[in-house]
Amino acid sequence: MKKIALTLAITAVASVPAVAGVWSQSCTGCHNGGLAQSAEQLKAKFKTPEAFVKAAQESTNPMMMAYKNDVETLKKAAKELYGK
């Protein structure tokens, strides 16, 4: 009985899904410092989350076309980056 309870407890703890943020899921693939500016470079360039979102919306890079009109996602990514 103890083995079953222990097995169930371990399974329950191990099966908790990890939730990655918008930045982790959508942005880090390109914004890694090689292909596009890293998170640190973006934060140094754009001092506020609002400036970050505005710059993303005004981007002419074709890779940003899928994101530039999704203001809510941009705001979530900015919140993750800036912590505000």
Side-chain angles (χ1 to χ4, degrees):
M1 187 63 166
K2 288 183 181 180
K3 285 184 179 181
I4 293 172
L6 180 61
T7 302
L8 289 174
I10 291 172
T11 302
V13 170
S15 66
V16 174
V19 178
V22 171
W23 180 262
S24 298
Q25 289 180 339
S26 301
C27 307
T28 57
C30 295
H31 288 282
N32 56 20
L35 186 58
Q37 294 176 343
S38 70
E40 292 77 23
Q41 291 169 323
L42 290 170
K43 289 193 314 187
K45 185 174 182 178
F46 307 108
K47 302 298 182 191
T48 65
E50 293 79 14
F52 170 85
V53 170
K54 183 179 179 193
Q57 288 178 300
E58 294 174 353
S59 174
T60 58
N61 186 317
M63 298 298 289
M64 286 297 294
M65 292 305 292
Y67 302 102
K68 64 189 280 179
N69 293 323
D70 188 355
V71 179
E72 194 62 36
T73 297
L74 293 174
K75 286 181 179 181
K76 287 178 183 178
K79 184 175 181 178
E80 288 176 32
L81 283 181
Y82 292 86
K84 298 178 184 179

